[in-house]
Amino acid sequence: MLFLDEPTTGLDPRSRGEVWSMIRALGAEETTVLLTTRYLEEADRLADEIVVLDQGRVVAVGTPPDSGRRWAARPSTYGQPTRRTRTRW
């Protein structure tokens, strides 16, 4: 099992593609890869199963073909104040 936390963040397109190739090769060898990413496109291309988290809670689970329209349209609460957050000006 390999854990990768946002392995392509900040990479140029060529390097990003090389990392994707390495991840695909590991998957072909039946290595389990747990990948965290903010890029839905990356998850769609690399994952067999996608779990979407919002504020630490699972909000969706499915396969890449499920993800596109359904999850992209889902409003996120990321960065939104919670009841415990007070804003002072």
Side-chain angles (χ1 to χ4, degrees):
M1 179 175 272
L2 177 65
F3 293 89
L4 298 173
D5 184 19
E6 299 192 26
T8 62
T9 300
L11 295 181
D12 62 87
R14 181 177 177 186
S15 297
R16 186 178 185 201
E18 290 174 7
V19 171
W20 285 7
S21 294
M22 286 186 258
I23 293 169
R24 283 191 196 102
L26 288 168
E29 295 172 4
E30 298 187 19
T31 300
T32 299
V33 178
L34 179 67
L35 172 76
T36 63
T37 183
R38 295 172 187 236
Y39 307 124
L40 189 55
E41 171 198 9
E42 186 166 81
D44 281 342
R45 290 182 183 216
L46 298 174
D48 296 324
E49 182 178 30
I50 298 173
V51 178
V52 178
L53 301 175
D54 188 11
Q55 293 189 351
R57 293 193 175 138
V58 174
V59 296
V61 177
T63 61
D66 296 336
S67 64
R69 292 184 305 265
R70 188 176 71 182
W71 298 344
R74 184 180 184 89
S76 172
T77 58
Y78 179 76
Q80 299 296 319
T82 63
R83 285 186 217 152
R84 290 180 247 149
T85 303
R86 291 185 179 180
T87 304
R88 294 185 182 200
W89 300 98

